[in-house]
Amino acid sequence: MQIALHLGVHCTDEDRLLKCLLQNSDKLAEEGIVIPETGRYRPVIREALQVLQGDSAPEEMQQTLLDALVDDDDAVRIFLSHDSFLGVPGRAVENNELYTMVPKRAPRLRDLFASSQVEFFVGLRNPATFIPAAFGRAKEPDFAKFIEGSDPALLRWSDMIARLRQAVPDAPVTVWCNEDTPLIWHDILKRMSGHDEFTLLDGRDDFLGEIMTKTGLVRMQSYLQSHPPQNEMQRRRIVSAFLDKFAMEDALEEEIDVPGWTEEYVDHLSTQYDADVALIGDIPGVTFIAP
């Protein structure tokens, strides 16, 4: 069995990827791909992790867990998604690290399915916008307490991904930047679900419809139909061209309101982010989806 685990992170796609795959669950089931409803697996996984307390799941428990997730005996792949698999938003930043719980949480998730092929999927976000957004999701009302003295300028996603790989060296990791998601949306969906390249998912352009004018979306879809792209890179160029012309500015702009964060400081964090993610593709066992 193949187990695809989407780890978030918080404040990235906000379950849009999951919702699109759920919308196509019947179609994907024909290919042996199972997309369970969140209520069917999130409580079960949480309870199993509490019971095991770091131990590997016995074979019988693994089978019981799979039976709870899948009804089809012909299933070959299961997709599970939860942006708190690695911890709650309030613990996203600690001790100058992003998601300090990775070395503990990732192996426990992997060990739930010890006899299966497990792979992880992670969407990242610019710390300049991620930190304020995660703070907005956390229960801590004081920003200084939220970051616990951490220096945002020292936070590195490449460090988190390296810790993830070290914790689960037998589980490949696929990574992308949330800012690139509109351009690589179809590729992310295909890699996560593992569906056939000729399978057309319903609602595959719904996300673009949230950030592009209706006129622009219709024109783009019409153009793609009359000028089918020869490959994924060509499709991305087409999408990029239509976004440049028809993107809704208010849907793409992000207001950053953090005491003491000047425009220059935000630009500095953004520049560091660009340099940081450039390192991730060189980490062994990591596939980085670039636009």
Side-chain angles (χ1 to χ4, degrees):
M1 182 69 74
Q2 300 173 2
I3 309 293
L5 293 169
H6 178 214
L7 307 178
V9 298
H10 295 108
C11 310
T12 51
D13 76 284
E14 303 292 7
D15 275 347
R16 291 185 183 90
L17 291 163
L18 173 62
K19 290 174 182 175
C20 183
L21 295 179
L22 278 171
Q23 185 178 343
N24 292 272
S25 57
D26 290 342
K27 183 181 295 187
L28 293 172
E30 296 175 1
E31 300 181 35
I33 303 163
V34 178
I35 316 293
E37 293 282 351
T38 59
R40 183 167 182 173
Y41 65 85
R42 288 181 180 176
V44 173
I45 288 179
R46 182 169 57 249
E47 181 179 349
L49 290 173
Q50 291 173 345
V51 170
L52 291 171
Q53 295 185 343
D55 295 330
S56 296
E59 189 71 33
E60 183 179 353
M61 185 176 183
Q62 292 181 52
Q63 190 57 53
T64 299
L65 181 58
L66 290 176
D67 290 342
L69 301 178
V70 182
D71 295 322
D72 188 355
D73 293 336
D74 296 325
V76 296
R77 185 177 179 86
I78 304 174
F79 174 76
L80 308 172
S81 176
H82 192 12
D83 61 7
S84 287
F85 272 147
L86 296 179
V88 296
R91 301 198 64 181
V93 180
E94 292 180 290
N95 303 318
N96 284 320
E97 286 187 343
L98 293 158
Y99 294 95
T100 59
M101 296 293 289
V102 161
K104 180 181 292 186
R105 288 290 189 97
R108 289 183 178 183
L109 285 168
R110 197 268 172 272
D111 288 344
L112 284 180
F113 309 97
S115 299
S116 300
Q117 300 174 26
V118 175
E119 52 187 308
F120 294 107
F121 293 84
V122 189
L124 309 179
R125 181 173 174 176
N126 184 348
T129 63
F130 169 73
I131 294 172
F135 170 60
R137 288 270 302 273
K139 296 180 180 179
E140 172 56 60
D142 185 281
F143 183 74
K145 291 182 179 179
F146 166 70
I147 62 173
E148 291 192 346
S150 296
D151 182 353
L154 298 179
L155 301 175
R156 298 290 185 272
W157 287 116
S158 58
D159 171 65
M160 192 207 86
I161 298 300
R163 285 185 283 116
L164 175 60
R165 283 293 300 141
Q166 292 169 4
V168 283
D170 65 332
V173 180
T174 299
V175 181
W176 63 94
C177 291
N178 188 59
E179 296 81 6
D180 299 329
T181 301
L183 299 180
I184 58 178
W185 182 255
H186 286 203
D187 195 10
I188 298 171
L189 288 169
K190 182 180 181 301
R191 289 173 186 263
M192 291 199 306
S193 71
H195 67 260
D196 186 271
E197 62 179 311
F198 298 108
T199 300
L200 295 179
L201 300 181
D202 297 331
R204 59 189 178 277
D205 290 328
D206 286 356
F207 177 57
L208 286 173
E210 296 182 20
I211 60 176
M212 187 185 295
T213 65
K214 185 175 181 179
T215 298
L217 182 64
V218 171
R219 289 187 182 182
M220 185 196 74
Q221 291 173 327
S222 177
Y223 183 88
L224 289 171
Q225 187 172 6
S226 59
H227 302 78
Q230 298 301 306
N231 51 54
E232 179 61 26
M233 292 307 297
Q234 188 179 47
R235 185 186 186 283
R236 292 178 189 175
R237 286 194 292 269
I238 294 171
V239 172
S240 179
F242 276 88
L243 278 173
D244 285 343
K245 188 173 183 179
F246 296 105
M248 295 184 289
E249 291 187 10
D250 58 341
L252 298 178
E253 292 180 352
E254 296 180 278
E255 183 177 347
I256 301 174
D257 183 18
V258 178
W261 283 26
T262 63
E263 183 176 346
E264 291 75 18
Y265 184 68
V266 170
D267 290 342
H268 174 62
L269 292 180
S270 299
T271 299
Q272 286 194 157
Y273 173 58
D274 292 338
D276 184 34
V277 297
L279 304 174
I280 292 176
D282 294 331
I283 300 175
V286 173
T287 297
F288 185 80
I289 308 177

